[in-house]
Amino acid sequence: MTAVVDDRVLGAKTKWKERGLGYLMLLPALVIFAVFIFYPLIHNVYLGFYRSPPFPGLPSRYVGFDQYKDVLGSQEFFDSLKTTVLFAVMTVPTGIALGLGLAVLAHQQLRGIGIYRTFFSSTVATSVAVAAVIFGTLLSPQVGLLPWLGITTQPPILQNTTWALPAVAGVTVWQTLGLTFILMSAGLQSVPDDLLEAARVDGAGAWSRFWHVTLPMLSPTVFFAVVIGSIFAFQTFGQIDLLTQGGPLKKTNVLTYFVYTELNSDPGKAAVLAVALFLLTLLLALAQIRLLERRVSYER
């Protein structure tokens, strides 16, 4: 009886030691999250309760939730949210489809395929500023690629209310293509060859093997790419600032750029927008995890 009690005491002590070690290992990450995420979020929630003065030098005025109601119920916020969602729809599926297609091509056992893999993944090493400069030059109405090909638009693409957002979305897809390609290539490496060989013996063609074997086994990678790509789309700023500055006529005024433009003129409004952007991104990620994870197969 005494031995059983001693074992229980030792087991409880070991369990608490393991838990303590786990919390100790998590502590640095929790401190970083607290300083750089939770504190700014709480501070922005606080600032949202104060309306900025119309003239510099005057104190901010406490207005409670009125500013939240005014900003989140405005047509300007709705238009910016609509632009952000449209931008995400343009970039995420296109980027994943292109990354998957290039990864499938680069997965072939061909001579010199390593050169193509390096080429396809090279955009991951290209900064947003460099990508914006490259495409800003290519789309320039004076020295760009389109005028050289005899294609002109009036007004120019980046100043065109119809084509400005698709053009910036194209730059974003190109800039994130390297990361998507690397993710999909890593996923393809983990597909068991014996399953593909078994499907081949059963008479399945190339498309059938891809659709019924490769894609289901790749579903965790695709799911991860969808969640990460959506978060990136909702946080896009650099290419918008460098190429269009939210224009023309605010057709590329995504939420992150909307926060930026309001930051100097109306900090209280910018704080409300920042809180809304954080919550929208969080809800989007949670919704995708809840809805898409059911269709993901983790079996190997």
Side-chain angles (χ1 to χ4, degrees):
M1 184 65 182
T2 305
V4 173
V5 173
D6 289 343
D7 289 343
R8 288 180 178 175
V9 172
L10 289 174
K13 286 184 177 179
T14 304
K15 195 173 181 180
W16 276 106
K17 281 184 179 178
E18 290 177 351
R19 285 186 178 179
L21 180 61
Y23 288 126
L24 187 62
M25 295 177 71
L26 288 174
L27 186 59
L30 290 175
V31 171
I32 293 173
F33 272 90
V35 172
F36 294 103
I37 295 181
F38 298 134
Y39 171 72
L41 175 64
I42 295 172
H43 188 62
N44 273 294
V45 172
Y46 169 78
L47 288 177
F49 293 126
Y50 289 85
R51 197 182 297 277
S52 302
F55 303 104
L58 297 176
S60 299
R61 184 165 56 91
Y62 178 77
V63 293
F65 284 100
D66 288 351
Q67 186 160 234
Y68 281 90
K69 295 177 183 175
D70 294 342
V71 174
L72 301 182
S74 66
Q75 184 64 38
E76 196 176 19
F77 172 75
F78 177 76
D79 291 341
S80 181
L81 177 60
K82 181 180 173 183
T83 301
T84 306
V85 172
L86 190 58
F87 180 79
V89 171
M90 288 179 180
T91 55
V92 178
T94 307
I96 292 176
L98 286 175
L100 178 58
L102 292 176
V104 171
L105 289 176
H107 195 61
Q108 308 301 316
Q109 300 300 322
L110 301 176
R111 188 175 182 181
I113 198 66
I115 298 174
Y116 292 97
R117 288 173 180 164
T118 304
F119 178 74
F120 293 153
S121 59
S122 61
T123 62
V124 76
T126 307
S127 68
V128 174
V130 173
V133 170
I134 292 172
F135 278 86
T137 304
L138 290 176
L139 298 175
S140 169
Q142 286 81 31
V143 295
L145 177 64
L146 295 183
W148 184 74
L149 294 173
I151 303 173
T152 57
T153 59
Q154 196 58 246
I157 287 181
L158 293 177
Q159 300 169 23
N160 191 302
T161 54
T162 302
W163 292 105
L165 188 63
V168 178
V171 176
T172 305
V173 168
W174 180 86
Q175 210 261 324
T176 58
L177 188 58
L179 176 62
T180 312
F181 169 76
I182 291 172
L183 288 175
M184 296 301 165
S185 296
L188 286 174
Q189 296 289 337
S190 63
V191 177
D193 292 334
D194 54 345
L195 286 180
L196 295 171
E197 189 59 31
R200 193 196 311 273
V201 171
D202 288 341
W207 172 251
S208 182
R209 291 197 302 274
F210 173 78
W211 186 256
H212 295 291
V213 179
T214 302
L215 198 55
M217 300 302 291
L218 205 60
S219 56
T221 306
V222 175
F223 168 66
F224 177 76
V226 169
V227 174
I228 295 298
S230 301
I231 293 174
F232 281 172
F234 268 69
Q235 295 177 343
T236 297
F237 174 78
Q239 51 271 55
I240 299 288
D241 185 44
L242 291 167
L243 291 175
T244 62
Q245 291 83 46
L249 299 177
K250 297 188 176 181
K251 291 296 183 181
T252 60
N253 190 34
V254 295
L255 279 173
T256 48
Y257 198 76
F258 193 15
V259 174
Y260 170 73
T261 54
E262 296 295 334
L263 185 59
N264 291 325
S265 60
D266 195 341
K269 183 178 179 180
V272 174
L273 291 170
V275 173
L277 178 61
F278 175 83
L279 294 177
L280 283 170
T281 307
L282 179 64
L283 290 174
L284 176 66
L286 292 176
Q288 288 177 332
I289 290 172
R290 188 172 181 80
L291 294 176
L292 297 180
E293 198 173 31
R294 298 173 183 172
R295 300 176 181 274
V296 173
S297 172
Y298 291 101
E299 295 180 1
R300 293 296 184 195

